[in-house]
Amino acid sequence: MLHVRVIVPEQVTDRVRAALAGDDAITHLVVLPGAALEPAGDVVEFDVVREGASAVLDRLRALGLERDGAIVVERVDATMSAAADRAARRVPGLGVDAVVWHEIEQQTGEEAELSASFLAFMAVATIIAAIGVLLDQPILIVGSMVVGPEFGPLAALCVGLVQRKWHLVRRCGVALGIGFPFGMLITIGAVWLLTLAGLVNESMLLAARPLTDFIWKPDALSWVIGFLGGVAGILSLTSAKAGTLVGVLISVTTVPAAANAAVALGYGAGDEAAGSALQLVINLAAIVAGGVLTLLTQHVVWRTVSSRRKR
């Protein structure tokens, strides 16, 4: 269930009440006349079950409230209410399967920014992966996957493509197009410094690394795993199951592939750098393909459920 707080200009309050009245998905409706100071207006609060939230938010946005007032949506962790239970029973579908498109757009849009934090996480994750590659230590590879921030822009890219929000697609492209090269350049410098310090050397890269050589030897399974990772990642976001996302992050080799390419470039191993770069491209493409297909499927299902509800 979601809690929605709306600031409404006084002259629009009656239209808002009419838009909300009688909707089976809504419960706990409260109107506070004149309670809002900035922006000034009335405050309308209500709870809505996730499976009916998108249609309700569409009606509010159609009234121009995001321009003339405000619409704030919060997740409700626990609800002890017979009225809420009745609302959940009245609306077709299950809340865990519902996609609240406005929530997903907002959430992924924030992840698409090219920020200093994003670049810092990318650099740290890539360096950790590079050390893991040289030591042939899968635990460090897994750690770098969790630290890596790249799935946020990838998820936002999927949303932008499905919703045809090209400004979001451009922002994601910039974040990824700058983030990965930045992390690789910093990693090359870090590897050179570690080499000068005598902590690593080229022979570690050229030695047999049976536990991590999959990073630069892509095959058909690389695409399959990346595709499934994209599906699972989008499902974890749309169903609000953040715990599942950790499993997604440690299933695809985006950051490790970039790190291995950086190490190979730093030591002049062209063939291994090319293989790692190919692994990176395959994983990125597969994640986006899986994510887009998942969102398109959810969109079709959502429209079908909504049409049934209207009838």
Side-chain angles (χ1 to χ4, degrees):
M1 179 162 282
L2 301 174
H3 179 72
V4 182
R5 183 174 72 254
V6 188
I7 296 179
V8 185
E10 294 181 3
Q11 65 272 22
V12 186
T13 301
D14 289 340
R15 295 172 61 190
V16 170
R17 294 181 66 169
L20 300 177
D23 194 310
D24 291 339
I26 293 175
T27 188
H28 308 152
L29 178 61
V30 178
V31 179
L32 304 172
L37 299 180
E38 176 57 38
D42 301 332
V43 174
V44 178
E45 297 190 48
F46 60 90
D47 293 329
V48 57
V49 294
R50 289 182 59 88
E51 50 269 44
S54 287
V56 172
L57 293 175
D58 281 339
R59 293 201 297 272
L60 294 176
R61 295 181 71 179
L63 295 173
L65 296 180
E66 59 184 324
R67 180 188 67 248
D68 302 324
I71 304 173
V72 180
V73 182
E74 301 173 310
R75 293 178 183 176
V76 178
D77 294 327
T79 304
M80 291 171 282
S81 166
D85 293 338
R86 286 194 296 270
R89 289 194 297 267
R90 288 194 299 256
V91 180
L94 296 175
V96 70
D97 294 329
V99 181
V100 184
W101 294 101
H102 313 82
E103 178 186 40
I104 298 303
E105 291 174 16
Q106 183 74 22
Q107 182 179 355
T108 56
E110 294 174 353
E111 299 289 338
E113 297 290 346
L114 180 62
S115 63
S117 297
F118 176 83
L119 293 176
F121 274 117
M122 183 65 77
V124 169
T126 310
I127 293 172
I128 292 174
I131 296 173
V133 164
L134 290 171
L135 296 178
D136 197 29
Q137 286 294 328
I139 190 64
L140 294 179
I141 300 299
V142 170
S144 72
M145 292 176 179
V146 176
V147 174
E150 78 283 2
F151 188 77
L154 286 171
L157 177 60
C158 296
V159 172
L161 291 172
V162 171
Q163 297 291 319
R164 298 181 182 180
K165 296 184 179 296
W166 306 122
H167 67 283
L168 182 58
V169 173
R170 286 193 296 271
R171 283 164 51 197
C172 297
V174 170
L176 294 170
I178 294 179
F180 275 107
F182 176 82
M184 292 172 66
L185 286 174
I186 296 297
T187 299
I188 291 174
V191 169
W192 285 345
L193 289 175
L194 292 173
T195 302
L196 290 175
L199 297 177
V200 299
N201 55 68
E202 185 177 357
S203 64
M204 298 171 70
L205 178 72
L206 301 178
R209 291 176 284 129
L211 299 181
T212 57
D213 64 358
F214 67 92
I215 294 172
W216 61 281
K217 294 180 179 179
D219 54 22
L221 287 178
S222 299
W223 173 269
V224 173
I225 294 172
F227 182 86
L228 293 176
V231 172
I234 291 298
L235 286 175
S236 71
L237 293 176
T238 57
S239 63
K241 289 186 174 293
T244 310
L245 188 56
V246 176
V248 175
L249 297 177
I250 61 177
S251 66
V252 291
T253 56
T254 48
V255 166
N260 200 86
V263 173
L265 287 173
Y267 285 135
D271 290 343
E272 187 162 335
S276 301
L278 180 59
Q279 177 76 275
L280 176 61
V281 171
I282 289 174
N283 274 272
L284 292 176
I287 290 171
V288 173
V292 168
L293 181 60
T294 301
L295 285 171
L296 288 173
T297 302
Q298 290 178 309
H299 187 63
V300 171
V301 172
W302 173 73
R303 291 184 61 181
T304 302
V305 171
S306 297
S307 62
R308 290 178 180 175
R309 183 183 168 207
K310 291 178 181 179
R311 290 198 296 268

